[in-house]
Amino acid sequence: MTATLRPPASACPACAAAPAAEALAAQAAPTEAHIVLSLPTIHCAACMSSVERALNAFPGIRSARVNLTLKRVSIEAAPDLTAADVIPVVEGAGYEAHELDNSALSATATDKAGRDLLMRLAVAGFASMNVMLLSVAVWSGAEGPTRDLFHWISAAIVLPTVAFSGMPFFRNAWTALSARRLNMDVPISLAILLAVGTSLWETSLSGEHAYFDAAITLTFFLLTGRYLDHRTRSVARSAAEELAALEVPRAWRVTDDGEEQVSVSALAVGDLIRVRPGGRMPVDGEITQGTSELDRSLLTGETLPVFAEPGRTVSAGEVNLTGPLVVRASAVGRDSSLHRMADLVAVAESGRSRYTSLADRAAKLYAPGVHILSALAFLGWLAFTGDLRVALNIAAAVLIITCPCALGLAVPAVTTAASGRLFKRGLLIKDSTALERLAQVDTVVFDKTGTLTAGTPELTNLGDFSRRDLEIALALAEGSSHPLSQSLTAAARDAGIKPAAITNVMEIPGHGTQGTWHGEDVRLGRAAWVGAGPGIQTAAWLRVGDGPAQGFLFTDRLREGADTAVSALQAAGLKVILISGDTPLAVEALAGRLGITQWMAEALPQDKSARIEKLTQSGAHVLMVGDGLNDTAALTAAHASISPASALDAARVASDIVLLGGTLAPIPDAISTARKATRRIRENFTIATWYNVIAVPLAVAGLCSPLIAALAMSASSITVSLNALRLR
């Protein structure tokens, strides 16, 4: 929880708007607490309503707003409320909740770049419409002082507009030139500046033609391409930041004088920490007291809990489910497993950022050629005519007509069209180069639990039990929060079973539930505790009195479309691999069920990432499909990645594409669409190249004024956009 400072309302609107007044108001005492919780299990509007309704009804909470996209809730509450007070409210509504540290998410606030581009685009569009009206009057026959007046009015509109709207191009061009290199923005900036400079010169000499309309139209079209490119991106947050944000901000340290709540940053190796049921492990360590069950899905991705007892090692991020535990810290802070996972992700992110898009590769060849050609045209015409004015006009026309507007639109126009098509099929493209990388994929790696399977156990042998035993089992299962008990409860209720009248029902942390039925002891839980001998992982055992133990068997059901997606990918010639943190028997069974010949079991996050890197080094282009925090490093290390919308925040952030629905069936279509999109991009480059082959000689020969060059440039941009729309 972090407190936010709320300024008091001001009676003066001007004062309220002034930064100085805000700074003074910010020094006031805090009047509200701002709490942000992660809600990994919400998935629809009904979930949002349930959480908001539960929180808004809690005393002390002033407002609660759920963001379904980010799977978070922002709570404005009384200053004495903490996350520990409100998390049980969310859990009582039936949803998992974890506190997020706002300081770690400061870089993920509002994305201002998109709004900034849109504002510059709107200003350029408004100015270009007005300048075009003035240009129509000039080209319709206005002469003398009237023509000069229209030119000066155009200059008054264009100069501040270009200075404001063209700033992204000028800034990037200056950065490139400062580093002694060229990029696409260098010829763009030169073309705009040369068109404006030539127009000012022509206007000052009372010339017939000025090209302010060309300069502002060029700026507008280029900003359109830049904004379309931005729309395809969702890079406001880093997966490494999301992992760090899941670190527990506070912990209960056990001392000789009792317990004290301290910041996790104050913990040291050797400290004893008490972790209550429902709490997340703040450090790596070893259990010294207590028995419970642990949710290790952070590290393994498997949702079935594991037994926890003294001597067992635990890792930061694991969730204590049933009983209180005391843990002796062995690694804290940046040495913990959660931070090591974040470091893996950060390394993988930096590697992916080195991927060069087709547009950038084209720019490396294009930019030097444009400058050389324009300079040669200027020098040639200056030497031939001796007229600086003519030479500048032709140089400007060459720069404008060869300006990479078509190239600038070639990629974003296609990616926007492809993204729209895939969005209709339930896929959200997040990264600007995702389609290009997805088109190169030849190997697909799937996670198991939560990706190929639904991640929830499903009872398979309900019919093997008598009604009496089912009634007893239901009564015991309803007294436990264990996933197997919850699954058994749902299956029995669906079958019309009513719970038996059992007394003294008690859950034994880490073992199961027991009670008394007609004077006999009854137990439901682990095999060894019930007395069934060695058991298998996905089973809950029932024992009534001295009778034999009977096992309720569970399996993880396939996610919708999993078999269809795997078979379609294999039919398309792609290699499919299954990597999971589950046991070898479970992974082998699922692989055989789906026809996957290559699989890997008991894989930790570093194992998955290492496997991806090994495949990459062997020349494969890997698509990783996963949903858990344990998949985050692998998702980021892969050539391209996909995660379901039900995945945790960090996994969705690390992936390039998010599956909005519950089915995996669209994945083969995504690869097919990506390959078509790449072909369209190459076609657009071909269109732009042929356009230059035809138009550039005309400009060099002096047959195109800068205005005609701008119109030709616009025509090429429209052609590129229409070709991109064929993807829809």
Side-chain angles (χ1 to χ4, degrees):
M1 180 206 62
T2 57
T4 55
L5 305 180
R6 294 275 171 173
S10 172
C12 171
C15 292
E22 291 181 351
L24 289 173
Q27 297 174 8
T31 59
E32 282 190 356
H34 183 60
I35 304 169
V36 181
L37 303 179
S38 172
L39 308 174
T41 57
I42 66 170
H43 58 84
C44 65
C47 300
M48 292 174 58
S49 300
S50 299
V51 172
E52 289 179 352
R53 187 164 52 249
L55 287 171
N56 287 323
F58 188 75
I61 292 180
R62 296 169 187 173
S63 69
R65 295 295 302 273
V66 174
N67 186 317
L68 184 60
T69 303
L70 299 181
K71 293 199 172 187
R72 293 182 192 163
V73 59
S74 297
I75 303 167
E76 305 296 337
D80 57 337
L81 279 184
T82 66
D85 298 321
V86 298
I87 285 177
V89 179
V90 179
E91 293 175 340
Y95 301 94
E96 182 181 352
H98 307 290
E99 182 180 7
L100 289 177
D101 183 0
N102 271 1
S103 63
L105 296 172
S106 59
T108 74
T110 306
D111 179 16
K112 297 180 180 178
R115 292 201 307 271
D116 180 72
L117 273 175
L118 188 59
M119 181 170 59
R120 295 179 192 275
L121 176 61
V123 170
F126 180 76
S128 64
M129 287 188 290
N130 286 278
V131 173
M132 281 297 178
L133 289 174
L134 295 169
S135 297
V136 169
V138 172
W139 287 91
S140 297
E143 296 180 352
T146 303
R147 179 191 61 216
D148 293 344
L149 176 63
F150 285 167
H151 282 168
W152 283 117
I153 294 174
S154 297
I157 296 173
V158 168
L159 288 176
T161 301
V162 165
F164 173 73
S165 297
M167 187 55 65
F169 308 114
F170 302 148
R171 188 187 299 117
N172 292 339
W174 178 254
T175 301
L177 292 174
S178 299
R180 296 184 179 181
R181 60 182 178 84
L182 295 174
N183 65 4
M184 195 75 85
D185 289 325
V186 175
I188 286 174
S189 301
L190 283 177
I192 294 172
L193 293 175
L194 194 53
V196 171
T198 303
S199 299
L200 282 173
W201 188 26
E202 289 283 343
T203 302
S204 66
L205 297 177
S206 191
E208 292 185 15
H209 303 299
Y211 310 109
F212 295 113
D213 48 0
I216 193 62
T217 303
L218 183 63
T219 304
F220 174 74
F221 271 103
L222 290 166
L223 279 171
T224 301
R226 191 62 54 92
Y227 183 69
L228 286 174
D229 183 50
H230 180 82
R231 282 285 303 272
T232 64
R233 305 185 185 196
S234 179
V235 292
R237 300 181 295 156
S238 164
E241 290 171 352
E242 283 290 333
L243 282 170
L246 283 172
E247 183 185 54
V248 179
R250 285 174 298 279
W252 288 97
R253 182 166 56 190
V254 180
T255 65
D256 294 338
D257 299 326
E259 294 181 2
E260 58 177 351
Q261 192 175 40
V262 298
S263 170
V264 168
S265 60
L267 295 176
V269 173
D271 282 351
L272 293 175
I273 299 109
R274 185 177 300 280
V275 184
R276 292 173 168 79
R280 195 179 288 275
M281 294 293 169
V283 297
D284 293 355
E286 180 180 311
I287 298 173
T288 60
Q289 294 179 30
T291 59
S292 181
E293 289 177 307
L294 297 176
D295 176 359
R296 305 193 69 216
S297 57
L298 267 177
L299 291 179
T300 67
E302 303 312 311
T303 54
L304 289 177
V306 297
F307 182 60
E309 60 184 343
R312 185 182 185 94
T313 58
V314 295
S315 300
E318 295 179 358
V319 179
N320 179 21
L321 293 178
T322 53
L325 296 173
V326 176
V327 176
R328 187 180 301 279
S330 61
V332 299
R334 297 207 61 84
D335 296 326
S336 70
S337 54
L338 194 60
H339 268 284
R340 289 199 303 271
M341 195 187 304
D343 292 339
L344 282 174
V345 173
V347 170
E349 281 179 339
S350 64
R352 179 178 292 177
S353 67
R354 292 194 293 268
Y355 180 82
T356 305
S357 69
L358 289 172
D360 292 336
R361 280 175 270 168
K364 288 183 179 179
L365 300 175
Y366 186 86
V370 168
H371 299 138
I372 293 171
L373 189 61
S374 180
L376 290 176
F378 172 77
L379 294 174
W381 278 97
L382 183 63
F384 180 69
T385 63
D387 190 334
L388 180 63
R389 187 174 176 182
V390 171
L392 273 176
N393 271 334
I394 291 176
V398 171
L399 266 180
I400 292 172
I401 208 166
T402 60
C403 188
C405 191
L407 285 178
L409 280 171
V411 174
V414 171
T415 53
T416 301
S419 298
R421 171 176 172 168
L422 291 178
F423 184 78
K424 293 177 183 177
R425 289 163 171 76
L427 291 140
L428 177 64
I429 307 295
K430 294 173 53 214
D431 189 86
S432 59
T433 62
L435 285 171
E436 294 176 40
R437 288 183 278 113
L438 189 61
Q440 299 169 350
V441 162
D442 52 31
T443 303
V444 182
V445 174
F446 282 101
D447 172 51
K448 173 183 168 286
T449 306
T451 304
L452 284 175
T453 65
T456 54
E458 184 177 39
L459 184 61
T460 60
N461 64 335
L462 186 70
D464 294 346
F465 293 82
S466 67
R467 189 173 188 87
R468 183 206 70 166
D469 289 343
L470 290 175
E471 291 173 350
I472 295 171
L474 175 58
L476 293 172
E478 288 183 334
S480 171
S481 59
H482 193 285
L484 296 185
S485 294
Q486 293 176 350
S487 176
L488 194 159
T489 298
R493 287 287 187 183
D494 290 343
I497 304 299
K498 302 295 183 182
I502 295 181
T503 58
N504 302 323
V505 176
M506 179 186 302
E507 184 173 17
I508 308 300
H511 297 287
T513 310
Q514 67 181 16
T516 304
W517 177 77
H518 291 178
E520 290 186 297
D521 291 333
V522 288
R523 288 186 174 187
L524 177 71
R526 294 184 175 274
W529 181 65
V530 170
I536 57 177
Q537 179 181 355
T538 50
W541 294 84
L542 174 69
R543 186 169 192 142
V544 179
D546 296 328
Q550 305 173 75
F552 288 94
L553 304 181
F554 298 84
T555 186
D556 198 355
R557 62 182 176 86
L558 284 179
R559 180 184 284 269
E560 182 184 351
D563 49 353
T564 303
V566 170
S567 59
L569 291 169
Q570 291 173 333
L574 280 75
K575 181 189 296 183
V576 178
I577 302 173
L578 173 60
I579 301 181
S580 172
D582 206 349
T583 60
L585 284 177
V587 178
E588 183 179 18
L590 181 66
R593 185 175 175 185
L594 293 174
I596 300 174
T597 56
Q598 295 187 42
W599 54 271
M600 177 180 180
E602 297 181 339
L604 293 177
Q606 56 267 33
D607 300 326
K608 293 185 177 184
S609 179
R611 177 65 169 162
I612 298 292
E613 290 175 1
K614 185 176 180 181
L615 288 168
T616 301
Q617 291 170 1
S618 67
H621 293 94
V622 180
L623 168 65
M624 175 69 194
V625 187
D627 77 312
L629 288 179
N630 63 309
D631 300 318
T632 306
L635 286 166
T636 314
H639 195 62
S641 53
I642 297 177
S643 65
S646 57
L648 294 185
D649 281 352
R652 287 186 291 107
V653 172
S655 62
D656 300 311
I657 302 171
V658 174
L659 277 168
L660 300 177
T663 175
L664 299 179
I667 291 179
D669 184 58
I671 297 175
S672 174
T673 300
R675 290 175 176 174
K676 291 178 183 176
T678 302
R679 286 198 296 271
R680 293 290 179 269
I681 291 172
R682 293 197 173 101
E683 288 171 3
N684 281 347
F685 285 157
T686 302
I687 291 171
T689 301
W690 277 105
Y691 155 77
N692 283 321
V693 167
I694 297 170
V696 169
L698 297 176
V700 172
L703 300 178
C704 292
S705 68
L707 179 61
I708 295 174
L711 292 174
M713 176 271 300
S714 300
S716 69
S717 301
I718 292 170
T719 304
V720 162
S721 299
L722 291 175
N723 185 54
L725 290 176
R726 292 170 57 203
L727 269 174
R728 290 183 177 272

